[in-house]
Amino acid sequence: MRRLRHVSQQLLAGLAAWVFIAPGLHLEAWALLQGLLAALSSIALRQPGWQRLAHGLFVPAVVLMRQLDIAPVWYLAALLATLALGRNALFERVPLYRSGALVAQRLGDALAPQSRLLEAGCGDGRLAVRLAALRPDLRVLALENAVGAWSLARLRWWSAGRPAGLDIGCRSFWKENWGNHDAIYVFLSPEPMPRVWRKFLDEGRPGSLLISNTFSVPDIEPDERLPLDGPLQKELLIWRHPHGSE
């Protein structure tokens, strides 16, 4: 439904710019007016700042790229690269986030010795490699199913000397048994957090930790909050599993 809402905003803005306001405008002027109306509709709906920007720039950018006479193969290459790096933004509404340096320090302080940590969605491996350097006693499994991001993570792992305690896998963390780990770290988006919580309750072991960067579980108060220093990465929220699976 949300995707249809965004499409509807673009279509209505285009219709208003073309039919009701300025039917005689050239294509470039129409695109600018359409972008302005789409951005205003996004503001009126109180959508996040990045969505306002995306709505305002989408059609003007399409018209501009059309006039640059770029070979079609480059559009295909750009599409494939986007899917390789950010497929989860399309299919699971999870953008490619990169955990800050302070996150590794906070996790390093919070995890018990010899803990087994699952990073559910490791992106380019930035956090996993940093944590492996800070806490070589940990056993870290970092999973990423976007092939491009996973390739960058493997390259980062190789460049760091292939830490023995770190394994980077190319597969979905939803298929991993979370009961094999002492802690689960996620930096996803609000969309999958209810599902994350259900999987944690169903599969987690008694006393295991769910650690989320910034994004909360609806209606479930965390047991602990660790402050971070970024405008997006505000805090680590930590829940301790009360029951676990048998």
Side-chain angles (χ1 to χ4, degrees):
M1 292 300 295
R2 293 183 181 180
R3 294 172 185 169
L4 290 178
R5 182 181 64 189
H6 294 309
V7 173
S8 299
Q9 285 176 244
Q10 288 291 320
L11 291 176
L12 290 173
L15 184 63
W18 191 262
V19 176
F20 297 108
I21 298 178
L25 285 179
H26 293 295
L27 181 61
E28 296 83 356
W30 169 81
L32 291 174
L33 183 56
Q34 191 277 349
L36 175 62
L37 293 174
L40 289 175
S41 71
S42 185
I43 293 173
L45 292 172
R46 298 183 179 180
Q47 293 172 336
W50 69 269
Q51 290 188 13
R52 300 174 187 180
L53 184 64
H55 275 294
L57 294 180
F58 179 72
V59 168
V62 169
V63 171
L64 175 62
M65 298 301 289
R66 178 178 178 271
Q67 294 178 340
L68 292 178
D69 196 26
I70 298 174
V73 66
W74 290 110
Y75 289 106
L76 177 60
L79 174 62
L80 294 177
T82 300
L83 289 175
L85 291 170
R87 68 175 299 277
N88 293 314
L90 176 63
F91 296 107
E92 299 191 37
R93 299 182 62 82
V94 178
L96 178 59
Y97 290 128
R98 303 174 72 229
S99 299
L102 184 57
V103 175
Q105 297 178 26
R106 290 282 190 261
L107 286 175
D109 294 338
L111 296 174
Q114 310 297 324
S115 290
R116 290 174 291 180
L117 172 71
L118 169 65
E119 184 180 4
C122 70
D124 63 2
R126 182 186 188 190
L127 172 66
V129 170
R130 281 178 172 169
L131 189 58
L134 286 173
R135 291 285 306 275
D137 63 298
L138 299 177
R139 301 294 298 180
V140 180
L141 174 61
L143 296 183
E144 177 59 56
N145 66 346
V147 176
W150 170 80
S151 299
L152 292 176
R154 290 289 294 185
L155 179 61
R156 190 185 295 273
W157 171 80
W158 186 277
S159 301
R162 297 179 291 175
L166 173 59
D167 182 21
I168 299 177
C170 186
R171 61 183 185 273
S172 173
F173 61 78
W174 295 117
K175 298 180 181 179
E176 174 74 11
N177 184 353
W178 289 10
N180 295 329
H181 306 278
D182 301 304
I184 313 296
Y185 171 80
V186 295
F187 187 18
L188 302 174
S189 75
E191 187 78 14
M193 289 307 295
R195 184 182 177 188
V196 165
W197 180 249
R198 290 194 299 270
K199 186 172 177 65
F200 179 61
L201 289 182
D202 290 343
E203 297 181 359
R205 297 182 304 169
S208 61
L209 303 178
L210 173 63
I211 306 172
S212 175
N213 188 330
T214 302
F215 301 112
S216 63
V217 176
D219 303 320
I220 305 295
E221 185 66 22
D223 297 304
E224 188 176 359
R225 298 176 184 264
L226 302 179
L228 301 175
D229 59 356
L232 173 62
Q233 302 179 47
K234 300 177 181 179
E235 58 182 349
L236 292 182
L237 300 95
I238 303 177
W239 294 266
R240 187 173 298 275
H241 195 290
H243 303 298
S245 55
E246 299 296 333

